Amino acid sequence: MAWTEWEQAQASAAEKAAQTRLNTVDAGTGGGGGQRDLIVRSDELGALGSTAYQLRESLAKDGTHADDATTAAATALKSDGLATGSALQELQDAWETKVGTLKEACAHISNHLDYTKAAHAKEEEKISTSMRDAEGKLMTVSRISEFI
């Protein structure tokens, strides 16, 4: 995802968040109306988690490809008595810290989405297996089929 795409996604999410209505019913029933816009599908969570994981893997490879050359240059500059060598080493150290932080953030996003997907599936299973009728009897799949 390019940086401009990320900014567009953030702007779109902010716009949708401003329009979100909670505890409403459809317009035809006299409620607050409006379109429901807070819908999450497990396949979407999985795709986002996968993207975050792929970004982390790319950062691990591409974010450190110049480490050896930069360290060698910094060492050579320092051995020649140039202050630029120390500055370059500081820059390298800061870069490693930033890349590590970004990789960790991507891992957290990926793990959180995986957890959310699993927790949602578990909750759906719990709801579907614990439905009860008006008399309090458990609504098993075979009992639900009786009403269809």
Side-chain angles (χ1 to χ4, degrees):
M1 175 180 285
W3 185 255
T4 55
E5 291 177 67
W6 175 252
E7 289 176 336
Q8 289 171 351
Q10 284 181 315
S12 175
E15 184 179 303
K16 285 183 177 181
Q19 298 172 357
T20 301
R21 291 180 165 191
L22 300 176
N23 296 328
T24 63
V25 294
D26 293 328
T29 60
Q35 291 285 72
R36 291 181 287 164
D37 61 353
L38 185 59
I39 298 172
V40 179
R41 294 177 182 86
S42 290
D43 58 337
E44 292 171 345
L45 291 176
L48 289 171
S50 177
T51 300
Y53 177 79
Q54 290 169 0
L55 178 58
R56 184 200 178 284
E57 294 302 304
S58 293
L59 282 168
K61 183 180 111 192
D62 299 332
T64 59
H65 75 276
D67 285 358
D68 293 338
T70 304
T71 300
T75 302
L77 289 168
K78 282 193 280 188
S79 69
D80 288 341
L82 299 172
T84 307
S86 296
L88 186 57
Q89 189 60 54
E90 280 185 46
L91 177 65
Q92 174 63 25
D93 294 343
W95 178 259
E96 284 179 16
T97 300
K98 298 299 180 190
V99 168
T101 301
L102 190 52
K103 286 179 1 187
E104 189 174 318
C106 289
H108 280 296
I109 291 168
S110 177
N111 291 341
H112 179 71
L113 290 172
D114 287 344
Y115 171 80
T116 301
K117 181 179 174 182
H120 178 72
K122 188 175 181 180
E123 188 66 19
E124 285 293 312
E125 175 72 19
K126 179 181 170 186
I127 290 169
S128 67
T129 58
S130 64
M131 290 177 57
R132 299 188 180 275
D133 64 12
E135 297 172 354
K137 294 180 183 171
L138 189 60
M139 294 291 291
T140 62
V141 174
S142 60
R143 288 209 55 227
I144 292 170
S145 297
E146 292 173 14
F147 293 98
I148 297 177

